[in-house]
Amino acid sequence: MPTLLWTDGLIFLLLFMVVMFVLHVRRHEHLLRPWRSVLRSRVAMASAVILSVYLVIGLLDSLHFHPKLDNPKAEQAQYSTKINSVFDVLVSHLLEQDEKTYSAPFAAYQYSKETIELSDGSTVRELPRLKFGGAHLTDPDSEKVSDIFNRTLVASTKALVVFIVMIGLITWRIAAKKSWPFSNVIKSILKGEMETPWKVIFITLGMSFWVLIIAWDLSHAYHIFGTDKVGQDVYYQAMKSIRTGLIIGTLTTLVMLPFAVLMGISAGYFRGWIDDVIQYIYTTLNSIPGVLLIAASILMLQVYMANHAEDFASLAARSDMRLLFLCIILGVTSWTGLCRLLRGETMKLREVDYIQAAQAFGVGHMTIILRHILPNVMHIILISVVIDFSGLVLAEAVLSYINIGVDPSMNSWGNMINSARMEMAREPVVWWALAASFIFMFVLVLAANLFSDAVRDAFDPRLREREE
Amino acid sequence: MMAYIIRRALYAIPILIGVNVLTFVLFFVVNSPDDMARMQLGEKRLTEEAIQGWKQERGYDKPLLWNSSEEGLEKVTDTIFFKKSIRLFLFDFGRSDSGRDISFDISQRMWPSLAIAIPGLIVGLLVNITFALLIAFFRGTYLDITGVVFCVILMSISGLFYIIGGQFLVGKLMNLVPISGYDTGLESIKFLVLPVLVGLVGGIGSGTRWYRTIFLEEIGKDYVRTARSKGLSERLVMFRHVLKNAMIPILTGVVVVLPMLFMGSLITESFFGIPGLGSYTLDAITSQDFAIVRSMVFLGSVLYIIGLLLTDISYTLVDPRVRLQ
């Protein structure tokens, strides 16, 4: 039975808005022009591919449903109160492979020693074999390396096939669209003569698929990022955290955007007392240290949730509510920058001739704002949305570390770091949870940073001139 | 000038009142004084008298915002909000909910915070400006591109990893300095090296990139072209003209954060176990000590406003064209 959490709904709403925006831009040449330079940038397109891989995983993880219970006696279908996502079903093998406690990546033995009773009644203290990790091997010490190598080889072959099919399809599409012969398209892609850097896109796409397919194959036989204290697969946790990171990074801006745009433009356009009030509001909000404001709000929410436990259908719904609330409160602390920028820009714009002319003709304020001012500040909004994303993903980790971030039961990189930081003091060091969250976060944030740089360069001509 | 400063200081009052109301509402909207008493007293079976006693002792036994049982002006003044907030304006922070003197705690814990923040700021500025100047000097070459790529990579790593990595590498593997803790006097240096170093490495990416754009903006200006056309060497142009003029935006940017240095850093201080104001705030958040959090919010807002004022003043000092109205 499908179910829609609050954040799911909002993230799909956002997706819908982005699609509508893209369609709108495609119809208008003057809007399309800056995007062309983004599309031409090799770095931007490579990062865009990586970002879309994250996005697909995050979206699959946002399609939630209540799984059906196996109960042959019941006449009507019964549904569990647990909430699963489509992504959980795809990687169900990871969910079922829990171990007892820590184990290193690709390990066949547990991390800590245990007393094991032998068949003759005597006991020994040794590292027990894992239940799933490398369980198919009879002698892990000698077989493991070649087994991993073989599996990687098989996976690479699969990846190569997928890669070739995919390239073929895309090239065929381009060829059909341009009505060029297929071989010419291939040639000009290889030479890098196309306007869009298809070669780079193909390479990034191929690499992503290669990594994903290898990880997919190996994760059926090993814990590729080890297991945590209670034996859960770290790779699964890191993958699940993608959704949390994406939601924090995108929904926060979605929440704050209406306020920032409305207030910024009206302050700059109407001036007078409206300007004073709005300036007062954002100076006040800005002068409270952001972390303290977030902390106070999250504490408040915690107390509320503790007192109103019955309002939440399930644990998932509860942690989802907290995630949404965190987005809102992060939005409250971060909208002021954009608001100030918009106010300044609008103040400049309202003195421009065509707006003075519109006012002289008696055009209404709403019309002027919607038709003349909003389109002219759109690039500022866009740049700030794209630039904010990576900062928000990083902020989540810090907030979760001081326990004012997402719900502790929710998978997030911040929670992974938080629970793993004590493990660095262990001997031997338990490093894999940190490594996993580091890699996943780093790749996402790096791609986002590179992409936002390209967008900023494309939309801010002043900056481009300076760089040249 | 003086009139401007006074007017700006007066303008801060409504803002501080707004801050106070906001934090007050945030804390009391769900967390009633009764809840606070239960939390602080922390015993399982609490008598009603004990709660009332706790509230009376700390002045939480009044209405929140509006006292309808009093007459005239007392309606507003004899409330928790008025009694608790008005003293903040005189910087009398009172006692924390656990009974400690907040002003004394702040004056004690301020120094460890500053001991990290000031060296961190100075070292960070020096290193970032040096790197940025170097990259800007070689602009357009491979060194520039590599430098910028490195900056983006460094920026993409969460600050937490710098701290964890620094503690692990320098503290545990190389065993050079203690991982966390604090001491007084000269002994404290060995505890401060690592936090400052971690802060430096963590800030290099964004700092260098930011200063690089400032330098590039300066390089694009007309006077630089004139200086070059006079036949000055590139090195002379960079050091004598560009660096000097770029210091204006750089230093005015630094002025705004100066007052905030007092507040310390929540994350760094808690990771390294430094008894500064940052960890003080964090402890207050986790133990829900409303009096401390409110004092810190108030202090933070005051410092923020001072920072804004200092920025405005420093603009007039370095650039006489800016007139304060």
Side-chain angles (χ1 to χ4, degrees), chain B residues 115-179:
Chain B
I116 293 183
I118 292 178
L121 181 80
I122 295 172
V123 176
L125 263 181
L126 285 178
V127 172
N128 291 348
I129 290 178
T130 315
F131 277 145
L133 201 62
L134 196 73
I135 294 179
F137 188 76
F138 291 103
R139 64 192 172 279
T141 63
Y142 275 104
L143 192 76
D144 181 22
I145 298 169
T146 340
V148 173
V149 168
F150 257 107
C151 286
V152 178
I153 289 176
L154 286 175
M155 277 165 69
S156 306
I157 298 173
S158 167
L160 296 175
F161 288 113
Y162 288 113
I163 299 178
I164 297 174
Q167 280 186 332
F168 186 73
L169 270 180
V170 182
K172 196 175 170 190
L173 283 188
M174 305 202 293
N175 234 334
L176 293 177
V177 288
I179 289 179

Side-chain angles (χ1 to χ4, degrees), chain A residues 280 287 292 300 424 449 453, chain B residues 14 30 156 172 209 281 301 304:
Chain A
Y280 171 72
S287 62
L292 288 181
M300 191 188 91
M424 292 299 273
N449 273 338
D453 278 359
Chain B
V30 281
S156 306
K172 196 175 170 190
R209 224 172 94 117
T281 319
S301 315
Y304 174 82

Side-chain angles (χ1 to χ4, degrees), chain B residues 13 16-17 20-25 28 58-67 70-94 290 294 298:
Chain B
I13 293 174
L16 289 175
I17 294 177
N20 259 324
V21 174
L22 199 69
T23 37
F24 186 81
V25 168
F28 277 105
R58 284 165 181 77
Y60 285 118
D61 55 344
K62 299 188 174 70
L64 291 179
L65 284 166
W66 186 256
N67 194 344
E70 297 287 333
E71 291 295 313
L73 205 62
E74 293 274 288
K75 275 188 194 299
V76 184
T77 52
D78 199 32
T79 56
I80 298 180
F81 175 69
F82 195 82
K83 290 263 171 298
K84 293 269 165 190
S85 300
I86 209 68
R87 276 155 66 192
L88 288 179
F89 284 92
L90 305 168
F91 290 94
D92 172 15
F93 296 119
F290 177 57
R294 197 184 43 205
F298 184 79

Side-chain angles (χ1 to χ4, degrees), chain A residues 145-329:
Chain A
V145 176
S146 64
D147 181 62
I148 292 175
F149 182 74
N150 284 340
R151 279 168 189 271
T152 314
L153 216 60
V154 174
S156 305
T157 328
K158 280 189 214 165
L160 195 68
V161 175
V162 174
F163 181 55
I164 289 172
V165 170
M166 210 167 46
I167 287 187
L169 278 175
I170 296 176
T171 321
W172 176 73
R173 273 288 298 159
I174 300 170
K177 210 172 164 191
K178 294 198 176 230
S179 50
W180 285 3
F182 193 77
S183 56
N184 283 13
V185 177
I186 296 253
K187 247 183 239 159
S188 57
I189 285 176
L190 284 179
K191 280 185 189 161
E193 284 167 358
M194 304 287 279
E195 204 181 314
T196 317
W198 283 111
K199 198 162 84 176
V200 177
I201 296 179
F202 285 157
I203 292 172
T204 341
L205 212 54
M207 295 281 273
S208 324
F209 270 90
W210 189 52
V211 171
L212 277 179
I213 290 175
I214 287 181
W216 167 267
D217 269 22
L218 287 178
S219 69
H220 274 85
Y222 299 95
H223 298 288
I224 56 174
F225 274 114
T227 51
D228 71 355
K229 194 170 184 175
V230 290
Q232 259 204 342
D233 194 279
V234 172
Y235 176 56
Y236 171 75
Q237 292 176 355
M239 297 279 270
K240 286 287 274 186
S241 303
I242 290 176
R243 175 176 183 269
T244 316
L246 287 180
I247 282 182
I248 296 259
T250 52
L251 284 196
T252 302
T253 4
L254 180 78
V255 168
M256 67 111 169
L257 216 51
F259 293 101
V261 173
L262 193 76
M263 291 210 175
I265 292 183
S266 14
Y269 183 80
F270 293 111
R271 310 290 292 272
W273 66 270
I274 296 182
D275 190 19
D276 289 340
V277 170
I278 290 170
Q279 272 201 65
Y280 171 72
I281 294 175
Y282 73 61
T283 319
T284 307
L285 272 180
N286 233 5
S287 62
I288 301 178
V291 187
L292 288 181
L293 190 64
I294 297 169
S297 315
I298 290 289
L299 280 182
M300 191 188 91
L301 184 79
Q302 271 175 342
V303 175
Y304 177 82
M305 283 182 163
N307 294 342
H308 298 80
E310 69 282 355
D311 288 359
F312 303 98
S314 62
L315 224 64
R318 210 176 111 159
S319 51
D320 183 68
M321 221 39 227
R322 177 159 168 171
L323 178 64
L324 183 63
F325 189 78
L326 186 67
C327 290
I328 294 174
I329 199 69

